[in-house]
Amino acid sequence: MDESFYRHKFQEAVNMLSREFIDSGLRMSVDTILESVALKIYKPEWSSTPESPMDAPGRIFFSVWINEKSINEGKLYYNIHALKLRNLKDYKIPARSFAEDFRNRFAEDHKNWENVSVEYGPLTLMEGWIKLRPDHIQKDLCGLARKFLNLSPVVDEILSTYRLKP
C-alpha cells in the first residue's frame, strides 16, 4: 500500500470538509494505525479525556480506513466505535445499553449506509464498506463523513439520556 498517497488523499478530504464540521463540534484527524490509513471523526466531549480525545481510553468515534487487505478486496471500510464508555465522566452508561440504544435509532437510517451491519459486540456500533474507487476516494470519504455528520446528533441525544444529574 502506498501509505503517503492515501494519507494525502484522506487529508485532502478533511480539508474539503473542515468548514462544514466546525459548527457541529466534530473534529477530524488522519492517522496511520495498525498499518491502515484512517480518517477519524469525533467530538472531544465524547471521550473520557476531552483534552486528548484520540488517546482517551473511553471514547466514541467514526472511522473510515484503508489498508493492504481492503485494497485487495476493493473496499473502503467504515465503522463507529464506542470504547469503554464507563470511563466517560458525567455519565453512567451500562455496558451494552448504549449500543442497543444506538442500533435502535440507527435502524431508521440503516438504508442510507451501504453494506452496513450492526451484528457486532457493544464496542462496534456498526460497520460497513463501500467500493474502493481510487480516482474518487476524496469524494467517497466526504460522502461518508457527511452521512456521519447527519447521524452524529443521535450520539449526542443518546448520551444525554445517560448524563448524571448534578
Side-chain angles (χ1 to χ4, degrees), residues 26-106:
L26 290 166
R27 303 290 177 257
M28 296 179 281
S29 70
V30 175
D31 298 301
T32 302
I33 302 157
L34 303 174
E35 299 180 7
S36 299
V37 174
L39 164 64
K40 292 190 178 184
I41 304 175
Y42 58 93
K43 284 188 177 181
E45 58 266 29
W46 293 350
S47 74
S48 57
T49 315
E51 58 278 0
S52 183
M54 292 315 301
D55 299 323
R59 60 191 170 177
I60 300 168
F61 61 93
F62 175 73
S63 184
V64 183
W65 74 94
I66 192 165
N67 56 31
E68 195 66 44
K69 179 179 179 256
S70 69
I71 291 168
N72 292 336
E73 295 171 339
K75 296 177 179 178
L76 185 62
Y77 284 95
Y78 63 86
N79 67 14
I80 300 174
H81 275 302
L83 307 176
K84 299 184 180 179
L85 298 185
R86 286 183 293 266
N87 292 346
L88 268 65
K89 299 174 177 101
D90 302 325
Y91 297 93
K92 182 167 176 65
I93 305 172
R96 297 184 179 271
S97 296
F98 187 90
E100 184 178 316
D101 291 346
F102 175 85
R103 291 172 181 149
N104 288 337
R105 292 285 302 278
F106 183 68

Side-chain angles (χ1 to χ4, degrees), residues 144-160:
L144 288 168
R146 287 183 182 113
K147 285 183 183 185
F148 182 69
L149 175 64
N150 292 331
L151 185 61
S152 65
V154 170
V155 174
D156 287 322
E157 290 168 20
I158 295 168
L159 272 175
S160 73

Side-chain angles (χ1 to χ4, degrees), residues 120-139:
Y120 296 94
L123 303 181
T124 302
L125 300 179
M126 59 84 122
E127 184 170 307
W129 59 272
I130 61 172
K131 182 176 170 39
L132 175 61
R133 304 181 312 158
D135 295 343
H136 297 87
I137 196 162
Q138 298 99 319
K139 180 181 176 188

